[in-house]
Each structure stands twice: as C-alpha cells, then as structure tokens.
Amino acid sequence: MKLRSDLVLRTIGSDHLIVDPSQDRIDLSTVYTLNSSAAWLWEQLKGKGFTSDTIVDLLCENYDVDIDQAKSDAEILLQDFQKQGLLEK
Amino acid sequence: MPENKNDSKARVISNEDYFAEVQRILNDGKEVRIRIKGNSMLPFIKDGDTVLLKAYQGERLALGCNVLAKDKDKFVFHRFVGKKNNQYVLAGDGNLVLREYIGATAIIAIAYMHYPQTGGEAVDINRNWARLRGLGWYHLRLIRRIVAKLKR
C-alpha cells in the first residue's frame, strides 16, 4: 500500500495536520491531525510502498516498544489511515 | 496516534496557529473552508457551521458582508456593518452591544458560502438579500435589546 501522494503533512505550532493542497478550495473545517510519532511515520512512509511490517520495523527500530505493542499500533494506524481515506486506492 | 477532528477526542489547535495556516492558504490564492465556533453570529450562522472564505484584497467591501478579521490579538468572524472615522465597524449578529472597530489591513477574508452543520442547503451569504437581511437584523439591535431585557 501507499500513502496518497496528493496529501501533505503540515506542522502548525505543535500540531501535525494532513491537508490536500492540490485543490483550489481547502477544507480546514474538518482536519485530520497526527501526533508526533504518527507524523514521523508519515514522513518515513511517504512516497514508498509499505506493509504493516514496515511500520512495525520502523516503530521497533526507533521507539522503545516491544513487537506486540508495535504490531497493535501499526494495525490501529493503518485502520485509521484506511478509514480516513489517506491511502491510495 | 492519528486523531480525527470529528470524534469526541478532538484536539484544540491554537487560534493563532490555525489562522496563520488559513492566511497562508488564502495568500496562495486558494479558498478555505473553516468551522465557526461560538454563537456570535446567531441566528444566521450557528456554532459548528462552516463557511467558505476568499482572501480580502482591498476591494470595496459590500455592507452586510461577513468577514474574518483580526481585532487586536483576537480573530473574529463578524458582519461589516458600516464605517466610522475611516475604520470598519464589525458586529456579530448575535451580539446586542459589542462592535469591533478595525482598519482595512485587519480584514483577512470575505465569506461567500455558508454550509449549515445540519446538512441543509449551502447558502450564498454574499448575495444582496443575505447581506441586507443581516444588516437589517443589526439595525434592530435596540429593539432586540429591549426584547432581551423583557424576557429576563
């Protein structure tokens, strides 16, 4: 799977927002925010094909989490990305 | 990790940061849709409704239009109701007394469309009728104040 290439991550103050800058009309009435670790993952995954295991590896290599926790976090993240339409179809 | 603004865990982004982003997008020549917070534009615009903004570029403002402006350190979305001493006078439809007096440079954007949260039809709030209706409502402030006092 891949992240939608038309979306960009904008950091506003301490918040990370996903916006679609390609449109002439930008909807900031419902914004999708990521916390700092999810925002970091977004940057790592941007433009690449990846699987759930890619996220697990990234989490285990860079955060102090055990593999079960990383798998659970990756699953939640992917479900949410899917639900919010942030992945390419 | 991810946080959806639609759910009950919605986080609050500081107004300063949020509107800096709104302004940045407007400066790129794009339109921005934002959500209105509070009841200062009742009865026409309710808390949670959204409006579509276009950057203000110094054009002549039509009386009764809805603008996003910065009043001192505060962002307001209110109606332009007149000019006094070369300043623009803004007023919230839901307010009975308060007005803001601002310079032209404080005006950030003009609202063109209003999308009720209830899913009702989108309204062109910059058309003559909508502006006149809002202006009429503003000029009824004295009567509205009396009615509000009698209701207490």
Side-chain angles (χ1 to χ4, degrees), chain B residues 18-44:
Chain B
Y18 181 80
F19 284 110
E21 179 65 6
V22 169
Q23 214 155 2
R24 191 193 64 76
I25 296 168
L26 288 167
N27 291 344
D28 281 350
K30 295 179 178 180
E31 297 174 353
V32 187
R33 186 165 162 175
I34 64 165
R35 192 170 298 279
I36 300 300
K37 296 299 251 175
N39 295 316
S40 73
M41 288 304 279
L42 284 174
F44 303 115

Side-chain angles (χ1 to χ4, degrees), chain A residues 3-12 15-23 26-28 30-34 38-39 42-43 46-47 81 85-88, chain B residues 21 24-25 28 30:
Chain A
L3 296 174
R4 271 175 57 190
S5 56
D6 55 335
L7 300 177
V8 296
L9 181 68
R10 294 270 313 146
T11 298
I12 302 173
D15 289 287
H16 308 278
L17 267 64
I18 301 291
V19 294
D20 180 354
S22 62
Q23 307 294 318
I26 295 181
D27 193 345
L28 284 186
T30 305
V31 289
Y32 188 77
T33 66
L34 303 178
W42 180 278
E43 291 297 348
K46 199 171 62 179
F81 278 3
L86 306 182
L87 300 176
E88 279 188 358
Chain B
E21 179 65 6
R24 191 193 64 76
I25 296 168
D28 281 350
K30 295 179 178 180

